[in-house]
Amino acid sequence: MKKMKESIGIFLIVAVILSVSGCVENESLKTWNDQTKIANDYALKGTDYITQAENKIDNKDYEESLSLLDNGIEQLNLSISAGEKALSYAGDTGMDFLTEYTNAYINNKKELKEYAENLKNYAMVMILIENGKNVGDKLNETGNFISTAENTEDYSKARENFQNAKNNVPEIKQSIETMIKYGTLMELDVYVQYIGKISTLVDKLEEVCDEGIGWAEANMNNDQEQVTAHLQAYGNLAADINQIAGELSQMQIQYPYLQGKKGEYTLNILADLRDEYKSAYEDHINKAIEYKNKMEEIEKAHPDKIKKQEE
C-alpha cells in the first residue's frame, strides 16, 4: 500500500516581492497565503489520521481504522474548502502560475479524499471477509462436535460434545452480527438476507445442542420418556436446518456472487468488492502523486517566488 504521507502535496508560501505591483495584488497574495496555511493545517491533520488508519489496516485492525478514516476525510474536506478560498484570490495576485498551483493542491486533496473513502470501503469488505472466515471455521467445528456426539455410545462424552458445540455459538453470532451491520452499511441487501438465513440456521443449531444435551442427560438418568421427547424435538430441528440449508443453496443458484470464490475462503461478491476498492484506492493515490509532482514542478519553475511555509 502506498502511504498517505508519500502522496500529499503541501502549499509553499509565495513571497510578497517587489515584482508584484499594487496594493490590491499584495493584499490578495497575503490572503492567499493565509488561506493556504489553513489548508495545510487541515491537510496535515487529515494525513495523521489516515496514516494511523493505514497502520491499523496493515495490522488487520479493520474496524479500528474506520473512525480514523472518517476523521481524516473530514479534515481533507476542510483543506479542500480552504484551498478553494485561496483559489478565489489567486487570479488577483498578478502571478499567473498561482491558479495552476492552487488547482493542483485542491486536486491532490480531492484524490486523497477519494483514496481514503475507497480505503474505508476496502476495510469494511475485509471486516466481512474476516468475520465470514470465522463463521465458516466455527460452523465446521460445531458440526464436527455434533457429529461426534451423535456417533458415540458414551452419553457423558455425547453431552460434552454437544456442550462444546453450543459454546461456539456466541462467537458465531457475534461475527454474524458484525457482518449484518457492515453489509447493511454497504447496502449489500441480498448478502445481508443471505447472512440473515445463516443466522437463523445458527439459532436452530443452538437449539439442537440444547436438545442433544437433554437427550444425553436423559439417557444417563434412564428417563426414556425424556429421551423420546428430546429425540423428537431433535429430529424436527434437523428438518428445519435442512430446509434453511436448501434455501441458502437456492440463493446461491439465483445469485452466483453468493457462491464461494474459487481458490479463496470467501464469497465471490466480497472478493470482487475487495479487488475493486483496492484498485480504486491505488488509482486515486497515484493520481494524488501526479498532482503533488505538478506542484513541485511549479515550485521549481518559480524558485524566486515560492519558499517553505513558516512553522
Side-chain angles (χ1 to χ4, degrees):
M1 182 189 297
K2 289 182 179 176
K3 299 297 185 180
M4 179 79 167
K5 285 184 177 179
E6 301 170 3
S7 315
I8 187 167
I10 295 297
F11 273 128
L12 301 187
I13 195 167
V14 175
V16 181
I17 58 177
L18 294 176
S19 61
V20 180
S21 59
C23 295
V24 173
E25 291 175 349
N26 278 313
E27 186 60 33
S28 295
L29 186 54
K30 180 181 180 302
T31 304
W32 183 91
N33 277 320
D34 290 342
Q35 286 298 320
T36 60
K37 287 180 181 179
I38 295 171
N40 280 347
D41 286 343
Y42 286 131
L44 291 171
K45 289 176 184 176
T47 299
D48 183 57
Y49 282 124
I50 294 170
T51 298
Q52 291 180 60
E54 290 171 334
N55 292 333
K56 294 290 186 183
I57 289 171
D58 286 343
N59 292 325
K60 297 187 177 182
D61 297 326
Y62 299 112
E63 281 197 87
E64 292 182 22
S65 76
L66 299 180
S67 61
L68 291 167
L69 287 165
D70 283 337
N71 290 336
I73 290 166
E74 180 182 7
Q75 293 298 313
L76 288 175
N77 276 328
L78 292 170
S79 178
I80 291 167
S81 179
E84 288 172 343
K85 288 180 181 178
L87 182 63
S88 67
Y89 291 95
D92 295 328
T93 62
M95 298 182 183
D96 294 339
F97 68 87
L98 210 52
T99 295
E100 184 180 10
Y101 185 58
T102 310
N103 272 320
Y105 178 94
I106 293 168
N107 287 325
N108 173 265
K109 300 307 164 294
K110 287 181 176 179
E111 292 297 337
L112 291 175
K113 175 189 169 186
E114 290 294 327
Y115 162 74
E117 288 176 345
N118 279 280
L119 189 60
K120 178 183 176 182
N121 286 331
Y122 170 85
M124 287 196 287
V125 171
M126 292 307 299
I127 290 169
L128 299 180
I129 289 174
E130 292 300 315
N131 279 277
K133 289 177 180 178
N134 187 52
V135 168
D137 288 342
K138 287 299 180 181
L139 280 176
N140 286 334
E141 186 177 72
T142 299
N144 288 335
F145 280 132
I146 291 173
S147 178
T148 300
E150 290 175 337
N151 290 285
T152 183
E153 295 180 1
D154 184 327
Y155 297 123
S156 177
K157 289 184 177 179
R159 180 180 61 183
E160 180 182 347
N161 277 286
F162 278 122
Q163 185 62 56
N164 287 338
K166 183 177 179 179
N167 290 343
N168 280 340
V169 170
E171 184 176 341
I172 295 172
K173 285 186 174 181
Q174 184 176 1
S175 285
I176 286 175
E177 183 179 337
T178 299
M179 293 160 75
I180 290 175
K181 173 184 175 181
Y182 287 104
T184 301
L185 285 172
M186 299 186 75
E187 299 182 348
L188 303 176
D189 296 340
V190 175
Y191 167 83
V192 170
Q193 182 184 351
Y194 182 78
I195 300 304
K197 285 188 179 295
I198 294 177
S199 179
T200 302
L201 184 146
V202 172
D203 289 338
K204 295 293 182 180
L205 278 177
E206 186 173 26
E207 292 181 52
V208 161
C209 293
D210 287 334
E211 294 298 335
I213 291 168
W215 166 82
E217 290 177 346
N219 274 290
M220 292 167 67
N221 295 327
N222 295 314
D223 187 338
Q224 193 58 46
E225 183 178 347
Q226 285 298 307
V227 168
T228 301
H230 285 299
L231 276 177
Q232 183 175 355
Y234 195 96
N236 292 337
L237 288 167
D240 291 342
I241 288 171
N242 286 334
Q243 180 179 341
I244 296 167
E247 292 171 358
L248 288 168
S249 295
Q250 282 301 118
M251 287 192 73
Q252 289 182 333
I253 293 170
Q254 184 177 0
Y255 305 103
Y257 55 76
L258 294 175
Q259 296 174 14
K261 180 75 171 179
K262 187 176 181 179
E264 294 193 46
Y265 195 10
T266 189
L267 304 182
N268 282 320
I269 186 174
L270 300 183
D272 291 346
L273 284 172
R274 175 200 61 202
D275 295 345
E276 176 186 333
Y277 289 127
K278 184 175 186 292
S279 176
Y281 77 62
E282 288 176 345
D283 182 55
H284 286 295
I285 204 75
N286 287 330
K287 288 180 179 177
I289 290 172
E290 290 177 10
Y291 285 116
K292 177 188 177 184
N293 292 339
K294 182 65 177 176
M295 290 180 68
E296 291 174 352
E297 289 173 10
I298 295 171
E299 290 161 7
K300 290 176 182 178
H302 303 277
D304 58 327
K305 297 177 181 176
I306 303 178
K307 63 180 183 178
K308 185 177 181 181
Q309 290 259 18
E310 295 177 0
E311 297 295 334

